[in-house]
Amino acid sequence: MNARTDGRSRHWLAAGAIVAAVATAGSLWFSLGLGLVPCELCWYQRILMYPLVVVLGVAAIEDRPGVWRTALPLSMLGGGVAAYHSYVQATVDSCTLNGPCAAVQWQSPLLGLTIPNLALVGFALVTLTVVAATR
């Protein structure tokens, strides 16, 4: 993937960093502000989202669209975990081997999105911004 460094890649990378920062702040608000205990899958999603704030932030400052080699594996793997987590929440009715990961601890009053759904949107947006930065 080649990218022109005419400044557009910097804007896309900055947008990705902002999305990752909002997702990170949101996850901290859910646990620290609302007192929700993250399940195992939530921890994996956090592990994959948190570094994207720094990785994309530095890449935006330095205008390095080649960061896709680092950012895409994190965002795509995180999106996969979030998609699986969303699937578990949508299909499992009771506590099973999936344990607390199947429980819906919070749901958006307007859109009905759960926390893993929001993470999936965040990872998808980060992935889109990173791909756009390489174009």
Side-chain angles (χ1 to χ4, degrees):
M1 291 187 188
N2 290 335
R4 296 172 298 193
T5 55
D6 57 2
R8 280 187 268 177
S9 62
R10 175 175 284 174
H11 295 268
W12 283 111
L13 294 171
I18 291 168
V19 169
V22 168
T24 296
S27 74
L28 292 172
W29 177 72
F30 284 128
S31 59
L32 300 175
L34 295 180
L36 302 177
V37 177
C39 70
E40 187 175 348
L41 292 175
C42 289
W43 279 115
Y44 293 139
Q45 292 165 67
R46 287 178 177 207
I47 289 166
L48 294 165
M49 181 64 77
Y50 287 12
L52 287 169
V53 177
V54 176
V55 168
L56 293 174
V58 170
I61 291 168
E62 296 180 354
D63 196 11
R64 292 182 180 234
V67 74
W68 68 269
R69 291 176 191 89
T70 303
L72 278 184
L74 291 171
S75 67
M76 292 178 72
L77 186 57
V81 173
Y84 174 71
H85 195 178
S86 297
Y87 170 77
V88 167
Q89 281 190 339
T91 59
V92 176
D93 293 340
S94 61
C95 289
T96 62
L97 294 175
N98 295 319
C101 292
V104 176
Q105 294 186 15
W106 182 88
Q107 193 165 12
S108 169
L110 296 177
L111 301 174
L113 298 175
T114 64
I115 296 171
N117 300 150
L118 293 173
L120 181 57
V121 169
F123 281 117
L125 289 173
V126 167
T127 301
L128 290 173
T129 60
V130 171
V131 169
T134 63
R135 303 278 172 210

